Amino acid sequence: MLGIWFNHDDLDYRTKKHENAEFLKDIGFTHFYVLIKGIENDIRNTAPYHERVRYLVSKARSMGIKAHGVFICSEDAHYLSENPEKADISYKRARSTCRISHVDECYRAYLKESILTAVEEFGLDGVQLDFLRFGYVGNGWGKREEEIYASFGVRVEELRKELTTSYDPSKPQNNLGAFLKRLKEGDAKLTSFSKARSFIIRQQSV
């Protein structure tokens, strides 16, 4: 499998835009990922995004390339502008201004509607829930999430303190190695936290 992903905002940074997408097939791409629900906009509230997705998925199909929709599911400015009371964040750090709770039932319904709308209209071959597990957990969480952590034996205040002092939220990839090493070594604190996050992710994916 060889895939490529498309972010609408990337167009603003490109000095040369390809008018002919046939080169993707010539290179050997078999899968195409297009951003459908971003942090601030999605195809339901941004007409140019909607038309662009329609065009890109159609072009991918004509070349025999599978089309997948990408949905940012840890931040959502549009959702919070309509539901400000849902900003259930008790631990907030950098890049958390639009952070939502992964266990917010209202948001799960909102996200599901977004996915079903896109799948039904474009006949997507797959869906990617972006930022559900990687990095952003260090950028904040809500009270309900803390309750779940505690139920799995996580000492929330200790974890919060450790993240605050040793985790750089602007560069999550630089911190991941040390945490994974401790997890592989059987660190009880991270093992409990990992189990709690796995539970939350499974709930979000249902």
Side-chain angles (χ1 to χ4, degrees):
M1 184 188 90
L2 183 62
I4 184 171
W5 99 287
F6 180 88
N7 181 346
H8 304 275
D9 294 333
D10 288 346
L11 285 178
D12 297 330
Y13 302 106
R14 298 188 185 279
T15 55
K16 180 180 179 180
K17 298 178 175 59
H18 294 283
E19 299 297 333
N20 184 0
E22 294 293 331
F23 78 98
L24 295 175
K25 185 176 181 180
D26 295 337
I27 293 174
F29 283 108
T30 57
H31 292 259
F32 175 78
Y33 294 80
V34 60
L35 183 65
I36 290 182
K37 193 191 80 61
I39 295 175
E40 296 184 358
N41 302 297
D42 69 35
I43 61 172
R44 293 177 298 173
N45 60 42
T46 309
Y49 280 22
H50 188 277
E51 292 307 310
R52 198 175 294 149
V53 169
R54 183 194 302 278
Y55 169 78
L56 290 169
V57 172
S58 174
K59 289 296 293 184
R61 283 282 159 67
S62 70
M63 295 183 289
I65 298 176
K66 292 185 179 297
H68 304 261
V70 178
F71 298 79
I72 303 296
C73 57
S74 288
E75 295 180 297
D76 198 312
H78 179 69
Y79 172 78
L80 290 180
S81 69
E82 295 187 337
N83 304 276
E85 76 284 359
K86 296 295 185 179
D88 177 26
I89 299 301
S90 58
Y91 171 51
K92 178 181 286 191
R93 297 195 67 190
R95 299 183 66 176
S96 294
T97 55
C98 306
R99 176 75 163 79
I100 55 86
S101 171
H102 289 143
V103 293
D104 173 5
E105 292 292 338
C106 181
Y107 183 74
R108 288 177 59 192
Y110 169 87
L111 178 62
K112 183 177 181 180
E113 180 187 356
S114 178
I115 293 172
L116 290 177
T117 297
V119 170
E120 290 174 359
E121 179 169 354
F122 304 114
L124 297 173
D125 296 293
V127 168
Q128 176 184 344
L129 299 180
D130 208 5
F131 292 124
L132 178 58
R133 59 184 176 85
F134 174 69
Y136 276 58
V137 67
N139 288 345
W141 54 61
K143 294 178 180 178
R144 175 58 186 141
E145 287 170 298
E146 287 189 345
E147 293 173 359
I148 294 174
Y149 296 161
S151 72
F152 277 83
V154 177
R155 296 178 178 175
V156 177
E157 289 304 319
E158 288 185 12
L159 180 62
R160 185 201 302 257
K161 183 177 180 180
E162 180 174 355
L163 287 172
T164 302
T165 57
S166 64
Y167 186 93
D168 182 355
S170 67
K171 301 176 181 179
Q173 66 277 12
N174 294 346
N175 305 276
L176 205 58
F179 283 101
L180 287 176
K181 182 175 183 295
R182 287 172 50 192
L183 186 60
K184 290 180 179 179
E185 293 173 348
D187 184 296
K189 183 188 302 183
L190 290 184
T191 298
S192 297
F193 183 58
S194 177
K195 290 179 179 179
R197 286 304 305 172
S198 294
F199 173 80
I200 291 173
I201 289 172
R202 288 196 299 272
Q203 293 295 108
Q204 181 81 347
S205 303
V206 172

